[in-house]
Amino acid sequence: MTPALDPHSVDYFRLSPMLIVFGVAVVAVLVEAFVPAAARYRVQLWLAGGGLIASFVALLLVTRSYRVDGASTAMSGAVIIDGPTLFLQGTVLLVSLGSVALMAERRLDRVWAPLEVRTAAGRRVSIGGGTTADTGEGEGAVVDDADLPADAFTPAGATVPGSAEELIAGRAGTVTTEVYPLALFAVGGMMLFGACGDLLTMFIALEVLSLPLYLLCGLARRRRLLSQEASLKYFLLGAFSSAIFLFGTSFAYGATGTVSLAKIGASVAGESLTPVADHTLTLIAVTLIAVGLLFKVGAVPFGSWVPDVYQGAPSPVTALMASATKVAAFGALLRVLHVAFPAVERDWRPALWVVAIATMVIATLMAVTQNDIKRMLAYSSVSHVGFALVGAITLSRAGVSSTLFYVAAYAVSAFGGFALLSVVRDATGREATDLASWAGLGRRRPLVGAMMSLLLLSFAGIPLTSGFIAKFAVFSAAGHDGAWTLVIVGVVCSAIAAYFYIRVIVAMFFADPPEHAPEIRVPSLLTSIPIAVSAAITLLLGVFPQWLLDLADAASTFWR
């Protein structure tokens, strides 16, 4: 049982991976306040990268301790350090490190010719050539941003999209370094989200990981209005889902007299020495809590925000959300279902069956109709939520281990897929995500085409890729549990999904390039390495998956 509140029960060693991330995030905020603007980019990059690496090293040490001493609580029962926690935190840290590297991609070395623009305040300003003049003349004007550097983030988030002020900031070499502390706070919240021992701590973790993402989604350099629309949609729907989750928490407390997941599970099961939970309030609680978590994982019908937000957000942020956020959200969902409410599985399983089937079918059919590759991958992300739910609602050790393997394998591939989208740009510097722009790309840049093809084949579940092993694992666990309906629907949807993945591959290698083919921006080594590693792991897990399957199986037992 969860120990009584005791200040001495805070295990700082086992909390150290999260504490390092949060501590570095706080230092990064101070850097924004006190370090000169010219040095912030390098300082923030080293802080973020070094903090995530240090956190991963600390996680390895905690894992070694866990193998000797077993699972435990780390903060008076509010945080649980067990197998799923360590597995999920390791996955979040690895894909987050790649996302931070993608955020660091900068093209600020171009020499600009002098350009005269008029600001909204009526000032005529000459930019470039090392001079800036203010004549006090002119009317307000909006300037095209086509000649700005190919930076993923706007240089001035508070300015009007496409305004002269934004152009001035871009040509001055301004870098939005606030993205690093925001990303670190989000990563820290993700690490905590799947490790929570009670519902209130889970709500706090949900807010900590969500609030920075709301801001990051609205900071895209290109297509600013689309980015700001995505940020607003995500914020409003996220606020509703958080309220629903908190409402469910109140019903759980009313039904059992506690917010501890372990004590809720014991009360719902009617175990001795615990008050028996009210059945009606319990069903309301599990429904509302599940809705809040299903929003975060992006399941149908609660994932209607995913296509718009993924398309409008900067690609590094989309890569982070599609990989790390889903890993953390599935960790929280697994813990709630398997620790707090397994005794009422006969009541919630039929509903989650419907959600899983609807997610697989609707997202797959919607993806078929898309001609924008980024939006297509967004719908693909939703469909993969349905496949992972097949394992998540299977209350067995095989169901947990297969789900852990699935979210880890998908997170790596999803990061690589969205990261590669940032490589292909049109003449104005915007990402060329429409399918026609990718025609002939594989022949012009075989390496980019080969890596994208490998990741797409993994999404489709083709053998010798991690996606095939992941789908086989969750379908096998569901089949052993008697959920053959889910297996059949999943297999059929996988076959349909192969069409829109292979369509992209055919366009890259067998279609003629358009008259004005987009440029292939050669990424820096800092960005190229994570993308290459993502593709390599996708292939490695397809050929030699047993090592990760064993890790997932060893980490499949929740502490109660």
Side-chain angles (χ1 to χ4, degrees):
M1 300 300 295
T2 304
L5 183 61
D6 178 7
H8 299 291
S9 68
V10 179
D11 190 337
Y12 291 102
F13 170 68
R14 294 202 167 191
L15 288 172
S16 59
M18 288 179 283
L19 293 178
I20 290 173
V21 173
F22 283 125
V24 172
V26 172
V27 173
V29 172
L30 297 177
V31 167
E32 288 297 312
F34 298 107
V35 174
R40 282 181 202 159
Y41 169 69
R42 293 180 181 274
V43 174
Q44 293 284 28
L45 179 57
W46 280 102
L47 263 179
L52 293 176
I53 293 173
S55 178
F56 188 77
V57 172
L59 184 69
L60 295 178
L61 297 177
V62 173
T63 303
R64 182 179 179 183
S65 172
Y66 162 77
R67 290 178 177 175
V68 176
D69 301 327
S72 68
T73 60
M75 196 173 178
S76 301
V79 180
I80 307 299
I81 304 300
D82 55 9
T85 293
L86 299 174
F87 185 92
L88 294 167
Q89 286 184 347
T91 306
V92 167
L93 284 172
L94 288 176
V95 294
S96 298
L97 186 61
S99 298
V100 167
L102 191 60
M103 292 177 184
E105 181 71 13
R106 294 288 183 264
R107 294 289 293 275
L108 301 175
D109 53 353
R110 182 170 170 181
V111 178
W112 304 105
L115 175 69
E116 185 176 274
V117 299
R118 288 171 180 161
T119 69
R123 296 182 304 165
R124 182 175 296 165
V125 181
S126 177
I127 316 167
T131 61
T132 300
D134 184 0
T135 64
E137 302 176 4
E139 304 273 339
V142 175
V143 185
D144 186 17
D145 66 351
D147 60 349
L148 283 184
D151 189 0
F153 299 96
T154 176
T159 59
V160 176
S163 65
E165 287 81 1
E166 189 173 53
L167 183 63
I168 293 169
R171 287 207 163 191
T174 305
V175 178
T176 308
T177 52
E178 298 93 330
V179 298
Y180 297 104
L182 288 173
L184 288 172
F185 277 118
V187 171
M190 294 173 198
M191 295 176 68
L192 179 60
F193 197 37
C196 296
D198 64 63
L199 292 173
L200 285 182
T201 306
M202 190 172 289
F203 173 74
I204 293 171
L206 175 62
E207 294 305 294
V208 171
L209 77 89
S210 298
L211 291 175
L213 292 177
Y214 299 152
L215 294 174
L216 289 170
C217 286
L219 294 178
R221 176 65 197 95
R222 312 293 180 174
R223 300 175 180 173
R224 282 285 307 288
L225 292 179
L226 187 64
S227 175
Q228 292 177 349
E229 178 188 350
S231 178
L232 183 60
K233 286 182 178 179
Y234 192 25
F235 168 71
L236 292 177
L237 293 177
F240 281 121
S241 72
S242 297
I244 291 171
F245 180 91
L246 194 58
F247 199 27
T249 299
S250 67
F251 274 100
Y253 183 81
T256 64
T258 181
V259 293
S260 167
L261 294 177
K263 289 183 178 180
I264 290 173
S267 181
V268 173
E271 296 181 4
S272 59
L273 303 179
T274 59
V276 179
D278 181 273
H279 186 68
T280 302
L281 293 180
T282 298
L283 294 184
I284 296 175
V286 68
T287 300
L288 294 176
I289 292 171
V291 167
L293 295 176
L294 289 172
F295 169 87
K296 188 54 63 176
V297 301
V300 171
F302 315 105
S304 58
W305 58 273
V306 172
D308 292 336
V309 173
Y310 280 21
Q311 184 181 25
S315 287
V317 179
T318 304
L320 179 66
M321 294 172 62
S323 54
T325 304
K326 275 191 167 44
V327 171
F330 264 102
L333 182 63
L334 284 170
R335 193 172 294 277
V336 166
L337 296 180
H338 289 249
V339 176
F341 300 105
V344 289
E345 63 166 312
R346 292 186 178 181
D347 297 297
W348 56 254
R349 282 192 73 181
L352 287 185
W353 271 43
V354 173
V355 171
I357 292 173
T359 302
M360 289 185 288
V361 173
I362 295 177
T364 300
L365 295 179
M366 290 299 297
V368 171
T369 64
Q370 304 303 314
N371 289 318
D372 186 283
I373 297 179
K374 193 173 185 180
R375 194 170 182 85
M376 181 267 287
L377 289 181
Y379 277 111
S380 166
S381 175
V382 176
S383 70
H384 282 279
V385 169
F387 297 132
L389 281 175
V390 172
I393 61 182
T394 302
L395 287 184
S396 64
R397 179 168 179 168
V400 176
S401 64
S402 63
T403 306
L404 292 177
F405 180 89
Y406 195 103
V407 296
Y410 174 75
V412 173
S413 300
F415 163 76
F418 284 104
L420 277 173
L421 291 179
S422 64
V423 173
V424 183
R425 295 183 179 271
D426 60 22
T428 67
R430 293 175 173 85
E431 293 176 356
T433 58
D434 58 298
L435 184 61
S437 298
W438 284 61
L441 183 144
R443 287 181 288 174
R444 292 186 290 120
R445 292 291 188 273
L447 183 58
V448 174
M451 287 194 294
M452 193 62 169
S453 299
L454 174 63
L455 296 171
L456 292 173
L457 291 175
S458 178
F459 295 148
I462 302 301
L464 299 182
T465 64
S466 61
F468 172 78
I469 303 298
K471 289 183 179 179
F472 182 84
V474 294
F475 291 161
S476 177
H480 281 93
D481 200 49
W484 287 106
T485 302
L486 291 177
V487 175
I488 293 172
V489 173
V491 171
V492 172
C493 289
S494 296
I496 297 174
Y499 162 75
F500 54 80
Y501 295 126
I502 294 178
R503 184 176 62 159
V504 178
I505 299 175
V506 170
M508 287 193 296
F509 288 96
F510 300 102
D512 294 327
E515 182 179 354
H516 301 289
E519 300 176 359
I520 307 298
R521 179 173 59 88
V522 180
S524 65
L525 188 63
L526 187 66
T527 304
S528 301
I529 291 177
I531 296 175
V533 169
S534 171
I537 292 178
T538 299
L539 181 60
L540 176 66
L541 290 178
V543 180
F544 303 106
Q546 195 59 48
W547 62 277
L548 188 58
L549 287 171
D550 291 340
L551 283 177
D553 183 65
S556 60
T557 303
F558 288 99
W559 183 91
R560 290 178 173 86

